[in-house]
């Protein structure tokens, strides 16, 4: 939610735990101005723990709503390991951010963001992450764009060429369910824990988030199919899934429907099996795939980018390093470096200053340094590079970070970068 706040939050704004769930939800409904929620607050807010709902109070505000709200979903994010694998790290998923229209441009958002970052650090969580509704906002608070996702369309019957996966993919069975079927939340989460965590960029949520996903409100079912889940099966186990729904379209008495695929989880062979099934449903003309990564295997199965009839890039995760030394030590690295960096961080001064970043044997040690800085950059630039995506060398070439020792930026980036970009994650 946009709030062109003042340089610092004025007095009179108090940010604390939101004690009134109905008031919290009323604020969210007002900010996002969709069809009003008709379900009890406990159902609508499931997956957002009561102790992670925060609100801004302003003297004289409407007692029915807050001046602003935000929430935090406790998450586990798969980050780079030290040997080309992935490891889960706890992160704070910032969500439900909104400022009441009557209180915009008064410093409310800034007060909430400062509260969130200080609260996250105090709780011992080193990283905050979010999906941005408006991309120009969160760089001001130290978040860096850490990956892209693509939305693309395939025609029905699209040929996917992967000769060295064909035999394995042919052994993968598929079975369709409806997302609201009993036990579906637990089943999807178990699959994420078994399969998804092996890939950098995967988010695993608390159980309540999955229960919220599978609970379909009446407004979500109006004039459209309920979400379906296509599970991939191997030796009796779920090894991947796709979440989708179909939309009817008829032209000149011919079917031309579109299938919308929200999530696609599984190994390369599993994704191949799922996609071959998805592009061959009756009555469909196109399949719209969301959250496809920049290095997704799908791109290799098509005859170039124009193998998709339509493709659009969007920003995916934004990363904010809340505790700089702990955040850099939490992930693994495939390269080595010894670089002194000067970091600026307006909202969390403990991160600011000069640090020596030493990476050896796949692990990082970060310590304060009195040596001359070799690279100068903001906390958002390190957040962008943290998952191995934001190219520090390209940032240097663009003039947004500075290099004091020739080659220092390249040394740092070679340690951070990955061979394959992180998976994009679903919105939360």
């Amino acid at each position: 939610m946009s709030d062109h706040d003042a340089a610092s939050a004025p007095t009179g704004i108090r940010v604390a735990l939101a004690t009134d769930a109905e008031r919290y939800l009323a604020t969210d409904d007002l900010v996002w101005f969709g069809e009003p929620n008709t379900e009890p607050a406990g159902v609508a807010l499931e997956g957002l723990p009561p102790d992670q709902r925060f609100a801004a109070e302003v003297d004289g505000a409407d007692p029915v709503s807050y001046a602003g709200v935000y929430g935090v979903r406790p998450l586990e994010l798969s980050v780079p390991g030290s040997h080309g694998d992935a490891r889960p790290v706890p992160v704070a998923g910032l969500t439900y951010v909104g400022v009441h229209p009557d209180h915009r441009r008064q410093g409310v958002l800034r007060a909430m963001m400062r509260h969130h970052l200080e609260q996250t650090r105090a709780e011992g969580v080193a990283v905050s992450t979010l999906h941005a509704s408006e991309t120009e906002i969160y760089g001001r608070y130290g978040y860096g764009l850490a990956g892209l996702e693509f939305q693309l369309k395939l025609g029905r019957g699209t040929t996917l060429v992967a000769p060295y996966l064909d035999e394995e993919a042919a052994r993968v069975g598929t079975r369709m369910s409806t997302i609201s079927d009993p036990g579906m939340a637990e089943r999807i989460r178990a699959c994420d824990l078994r399969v998804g965590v092996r890939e950098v960029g995967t988010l695993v949520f608390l159980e309540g988030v999955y229960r919220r996903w599978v609970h379909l409100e009446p407004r979500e079912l109006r004039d459209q199919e309920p979400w379906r889940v296509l599970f991939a099966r191997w030796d009796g186990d779920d090894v991947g899934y796709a979440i989708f729904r179909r939309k009817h379209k008829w032209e000149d008495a011919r079917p031309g429907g579109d299938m919308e695929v929200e999530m696609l989880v599984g190994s390369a062979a599993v994704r191949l099996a799922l996609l071959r099934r998805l592009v061959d449903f009756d009555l469909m003309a196109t399949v719209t795939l969301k959250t496809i990564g920049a290095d997704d295997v799908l791109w290799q199965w098509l005859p170039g980018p124009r193998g998709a009839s339509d493709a659009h890039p969007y920003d995916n995760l934004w990363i904010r390093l809340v505790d700089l030394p702990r955040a850099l030590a939490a992930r693994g690295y495939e390269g080595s470096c010894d670089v002194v960096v000067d970091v600026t961080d307006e909202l969390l001064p403990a991160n600011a200053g000069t640090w020596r970043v030493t990476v050896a044997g796949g692990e990082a040690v970060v310590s304060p340094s009195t040596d001359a800085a070799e690279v100068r950059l903001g906390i958002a630039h390190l957040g962008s590079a943290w998952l191995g995506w934001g190219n520090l060398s390209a940032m240097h070439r663009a003039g947004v970070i500075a290099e004091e020792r020739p080659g220092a930026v390249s040394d740092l980036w070679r340690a951070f970068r990955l061979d394959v970009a992180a998976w994009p994650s679903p919105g939360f």
Side-chain angles (χ1 to χ4, degrees):
M1 177 64 194
S2 180
D3 179 10
H4 296 285
D5 42 54
S8 60
T11 58
I13 300 175
R14 303 173 299 281
V15 183
L17 200 65
T19 57
D20 187 332
E22 297 288 350
R23 193 177 173 200
Y24 185 96
L25 193 59
T27 310
D28 183 70
D29 282 344
L30 183 63
V31 167
W32 292 101
F33 56 84
E35 183 176 339
N37 181 74
T38 58
E39 304 205 306
V43 174
L45 296 173
E46 187 168 21
L48 188 65
D51 64 351
Q52 296 295 331
R53 304 170 192 166
F54 301 94
E57 294 271 24
V58 176
D59 293 338
D62 180 0
V64 176
S65 58
Y66 291 107
V69 294
Y70 82 85
V72 177
R73 296 198 194 278
L75 309 171
E76 282 201 341
L77 172 62
S78 291
V79 305
S82 54
H83 303 289
D85 55 357
R87 63 174 66 154
V89 168
V91 298
L94 182 62
T95 188
Y96 277 85
V97 181
V99 175
H100 190 294
D102 287 343
H103 298 285
R104 293 180 65 252
R105 303 176 185 267
Q106 298 172 19
V108 173
L109 179 58
R110 187 178 185 84
M112 293 195 301
M113 292 302 300
R114 185 183 293 277
H115 181 273
H116 166 61
L117 296 175
E118 292 174 349
Q119 176 93 1
T120 299
R121 186 181 177 97
E123 291 177 353
V125 178
V127 174
S128 172
T129 187
L130 57 83
H131 285 264
S133 56
E134 296 182 73
T135 58
E136 68 275 14
I137 296 175
Y138 291 99
R140 303 202 303 265
Y141 303 106
Y143 287 82
L145 176 58
L148 293 179
E149 65 176 80
F150 288 81
Q151 177 177 305
L152 57 95
K153 285 190 176 184
L154 302 180
R156 180 178 178 181
T158 294
T159 300
L160 304 171
V161 180
Y164 298 108
L165 286 180
D166 283 342
E167 184 176 344
E168 184 179 354
R171 295 200 297 268
V172 177
T174 59
R175 180 68 63 84
M176 193 169 79
S177 302
T178 298
I179 202 168
S180 57
D181 288 346
M184 199 57 58
E186 294 77 13
R187 189 175 174 184
I188 293 172
R189 186 171 190 269
C191 194
D192 280 350
L193 286 168
R194 182 185 305 117
V195 178
V197 293
R198 301 175 187 172
E199 300 289 344
V200 173
T202 296
L203 287 173
V204 177
F205 303 84
L206 295 178
E207 291 88 343
V209 176
Y210 292 87
R211 289 195 295 269
R212 185 70 189 89
W213 281 356
V214 305
H215 175 77
L216 301 178
E217 298 180 36
R219 60 181 175 178
E220 295 177 280
L221 295 172
R222 190 172 296 120
D223 298 325
Q224 54 193 350
E225 179 182 33
W227 289 101
R228 309 291 188 184
V229 186
L230 185 66
F231 281 102
R233 306 275 293 165
W234 182 289
D235 289 339
D237 293 324
D238 294 330
V239 292
Y241 63 89
I243 297 178
F244 71 96
R245 67 181 172 191
R246 295 161 293 179
K247 296 181 180 179
H248 275 294
K249 184 178 179 181
W250 294 82
E251 293 181 349
D252 297 326
R254 293 188 177 92
D258 180 58
M259 176 185 288
E260 180 182 359
V261 181
E262 279 287 337
M263 296 173 63
L264 191 64
V265 174
S267 68
V270 167
R271 291 164 76 82
L272 181 60
L274 288 168
L275 281 168
R276 283 177 170 169
R277 173 82 190 277
L278 292 169
V279 298
D280 195 32
F281 268 65
D282 290 339
L283 305 181
M284 298 295 103
T286 58
V287 177
T288 300
L289 300 166
K290 299 182 179 181
T291 58
I292 298 298
D295 286 337
D296 195 288
V297 289
L298 171 60
W299 299 111
Q300 307 302 321
W301 300 334
L302 297 172
R306 283 181 289 173
S309 61
D310 200 8
H312 299 281
Y314 299 94
D315 56 299
N316 192 251
L317 280 185
W318 292 69
I319 295 289
R320 213 299 181 179
L321 306 188
V322 176
D323 186 325
L324 173 60
R326 290 185 59 235
L328 296 189
R331 59 155 289 183
Y333 299 82
E334 296 183 18
S336 300
C337 74
D338 184 11
V339 179
V340 180
V341 298
D342 180 69
V343 179
T344 57
D345 190 340
E346 178 190 353
L347 291 183
L348 290 176
N351 287 332
T354 306
W355 303 88
R356 180 174 291 276
V357 180
T358 304
V359 179
E363 304 296 336
V365 175
V366 182
S367 55
S369 178
T370 57
D371 293 338
E374 299 171 318
V375 176
R376 300 185 187 277
L377 73 176
I379 194 71
H381 303 124
L382 286 174
S384 183
W386 190 67
L387 281 180
W389 180 79
N391 189 321
L392 295 173
S393 292
M395 295 180 201
H396 174 229
R397 180 178 293 184
V400 297
I401 67 177
E403 181 179 75
E404 304 295 344
R405 171 177 67 80
V409 171
S410 292
D411 290 347
L412 191 63
W413 174 234
R414 288 191 185 101
F416 273 77
R417 69 185 182 186
L418 299 182
D419 289 340
V420 176
W423 277 24
S425 72
F428 54 83

